[in-house]
Amino acid sequence: MNIAPGTARRLAAARDIAAVLLFCALVWLGGSAVLGSPYLQKERLTRREAAADIDAFFSRIDKTHPLPRAGLTPESWDGLRRAAQEEADLRLDEFGRITVRDLAYLLYKAGAGLGDANTRPLWRPRRKWKDQELKYPPFTVDYRLGKFVIDAAADGELAGEELTAIDGVPFETYIAPLLGRISAADARYRRAAFCAEQGFWWDISGLLEGKQAVRLNFRLPDGKVRVKEAPLVSAWEFRRLAGTPEHVRPKLLVSRGVAWVDLPTAAYNRSWRKACDAVFAQLRRQRVSALVLDLRRNAGTDARAASYLLSYLAAGAGSPARGQDEIYSGRTKLLIGPGTANAAALLAARLRALGAAELLGEESGGPRDAYSPPVTFKLPHSAMSFSVSSRKPPEPAALAVPDIILTPALLSPHKGDARAFVLERAAADIHTQKQGRQQPQSVLK
C-alpha cells in the first residue's frame, strides 16, 4: 500500500512522540519504584518530624473516619493524641531521634483506640533472612474456644497443649501490650488477629529481647499444669514453625475427592478474582464432589468479595450472575472462627441462611459493621502507609454461627486436628452420596 509523503511524515512524528512518551513513563515508573523502595526509606526521624507525622495521622482520621466509635469521647480521643506524643518523646535517642519502627508501634496503639479493625498503620519491617537474634518464642499459638493453644512447637511435646503462662505471668496478661495495639471491635477477634500475625508482633514489640529462654506453663488434657523451660529461637527458626507468610490468593489442595481451599484474605482486585476463577475452574475440571473453604483467618473488608464467591457457591445469589455450569454443585463446608470477620463473616452467614453450606468451627468474630474498604494514606516524613475507615457499611451486620462447634472432645480422635476432622467428614459425605446413587440400581435388580 502506497502512503502519501505527508501521511508518512505524520506517522513518523507520531511514532517518535509515542516513543518519547513511553521512555518518560518508564523513567517515571522506575524512579518511583527506586524512591519508594524500603531500602531508601528513612529509619529515624527527628522529634519535629515525628510530631508532624503523629499530627498528620490524627488529622487524617478526623477528616476521614465516618463517626466516633462507641465509648470514645472527644476528650478520650485527644488523650490518645497526647499519649502518642508523650510515648514518642520517651523513645527518643540521645540525638533526639526516634526510629520509624517505634513510631509505627505507638501509632498502632492510637489506631486501636478507635475500636475498628481498619484504622491502623500498615508498616511492616524489612524481612531479615539472616537475623540470628533470639527474640521469638519456640512455638506458635492459636486461639480456640477461648483458650490460647500451642499450634506448632520446636518441642513436639508442647503441640496441642493450652498455654497458660510465660515466666509465671498469665499468657494473655503477658501479651496485653500487644493486644492493646491491635485494631479490633471485640476481644475475640483481637486475640485471633494476634495469632494471625504473631511473628510481626513479637518482632516489633521486642518483648522477649535480651532473654535466652522462657518458662512455660501449659495445661494437660487431665487438667494438670506442667512447667517447662524452652530456649528462644531466631527469626528463621520461627518462620519454619509458623509456615509461609499469609497468602493473598486462594490455595487449593485436592485429596480423596475433597478440595481444601485456604482463603486467608479477600482482597477484591483483579488478581484475586482471577485466582478464584482458576480455583473453581479446576474444581469443575476435576469434578470434585466436596469443597472445604477455610475462612478462619479471613477478615477481608470488601463486601464485593463475599458477593463474588457467593455467585460460585449458590445459584441465583451474589454477583456477577453466573451460568448453571459455572456454579459449584458439590457439597460445601466452611471452617470459621474468631478470625473470620467482615466480608468472610458475611459470606458464611449468607451461605448458611441459603442452606448452601455447612459451617464448622466457632462463631465468627471481628467487626460486623465495617465492610467498606478503608482508604489508604501516607505520612509526610516517615512515608508510612496507614488505612482509615471512610464510610458507613453498605451491608447489614453479619454474624456467622457454626452448625457444628469443633470442641476438644469432638476433635480428640484426630488429636485435636480440625483439618483432619473436616476432611474425614467431607469424605464420609461423598461416600454416603455414592451409596445413595447406587441403592436404586440394586433395588431394580
Side-chain angles (χ1 to χ4, degrees), residues 23-63:
F23 175 77
C24 292
L26 291 174
V27 170
W28 181 80
L29 291 172
S32 299
V34 171
L35 293 175
S37 169
Y39 295 97
L40 295 181
Q41 298 301 313
K42 288 184 177 179
E43 291 191 358
R44 294 180 182 273
L45 304 175
T46 64
R47 184 181 186 278
R48 182 185 60 81
E49 290 173 333
D53 272 10
I54 292 172
D55 284 339
F57 180 80
F58 280 86
S59 297
R60 180 53 65 184
I61 292 175
D62 288 336
K63 294 176 182 177

Side-chain angles (χ1 to χ4, degrees), residues 157-168:
E157 183 185 54
L158 302 177
E161 306 297 350
E162 179 190 354
L163 179 62
T164 59
I166 290 184
D167 291 337

Side-chain angles (χ1 to χ4, degrees), residues 68-83:
R69 301 297 303 181
L72 186 65
T73 64
E75 292 76 17
S76 59
W77 178 238
D78 288 340
L80 286 174
R81 186 194 299 260
R82 289 194 301 272

Side-chain angles (χ1 to χ4, degrees), residues 334-409:
L334 266 60
L335 201 55
I336 62 172
T340 307
N342 294 321
L346 179 65
L347 171 66
R350 283 186 174 181
L351 286 172
R352 188 174 190 266
L354 293 169
E358 180 182 51
L359 273 57
L360 303 97
E362 297 179 54
E363 182 181 288
S364 65
R368 294 182 271 278
D369 60 352
Y371 302 127
S372 300
V375 182
T376 303
F377 302 97
K378 272 193 175 184
L379 295 178
H381 296 287
S382 63
M384 185 191 307
S385 297
F386 65 102
S387 63
V388 182
S389 293
S390 59
R391 58 186 183 273
K392 295 181 180 179
E395 298 286 346
L399 175 66
V401 180
D403 298 293
I404 299 175
I405 299 175
L406 299 183
T407 62

Side-chain angles (χ1 to χ4, degrees), residues 111-282:
L114 274 170
D116 74 67
N118 302 314
T119 303
R120 59 193 177 95
L122 301 174
W123 183 87
R124 289 293 185 273
R126 292 200 301 268
R127 200 168 190 180
K128 298 179 180 178
W129 294 99
K130 298 180 180 180
D131 185 2
Q132 296 299 317
E133 189 176 359
L134 303 178
K135 58 180 179 181
Y136 295 88
F139 58 82
T140 61
V141 293
D142 194 14
Y143 185 66
R144 304 173 193 167
L145 296 172
K147 301 175 181 178
F148 285 101
V149 178
I150 296 177
D151 193 30
D155 182 350
E157 183 185 54
L158 302 177
E161 306 297 350
E162 179 190 354
L163 179 62
T164 59
I166 290 184
D167 291 337
V169 180
F171 182 67
E172 188 161 344
T173 303
Y174 196 89
I175 63 171
L178 310 183
L179 296 177
R181 297 171 193 268
I182 297 175
S183 296
D186 62 60
R188 292 177 68 249
Y189 175 66
R190 182 176 289 108
R191 295 163 185 149
F194 165 78
C195 295
E197 296 186 303
Q198 55 194 291
F200 164 73
W201 289 111
W202 288 120
D203 181 17
I204 193 173
S205 67
L207 273 182
L208 299 177
E209 286 184 0
K211 297 186 176 183
Q212 295 296 317
V214 287
R215 190 173 72 258
L216 307 178
N217 290 32
F218 54 96
R219 184 174 287 112
L220 301 176
D222 59 7
K224 295 181 179 179
V225 176
R226 286 191 59 189
V227 180
K228 188 166 189 175
E229 188 169 286
L232 297 184
V233 299
S234 66
W236 179 79
E237 292 171 302
F238 185 81
R239 278 196 296 272
R240 287 181 59 195
L241 293 174
T244 55
E246 181 179 293
H247 299 280
V248 296
R249 295 183 179 182
K251 185 178 181 181
L252 171 65
L253 295 172
V254 180
S255 175
R256 297 169 58 193
V258 180
W260 183 285
V261 177
D262 186 10
L263 192 65
T265 189
Y268 188 78
N269 52 39
R270 184 172 180 270
S271 175
W272 181 84
R273 293 195 298 273
K274 284 183 65 177
C276 290
D277 293 341
V279 165
F280 284 99
Q282 185 173 343

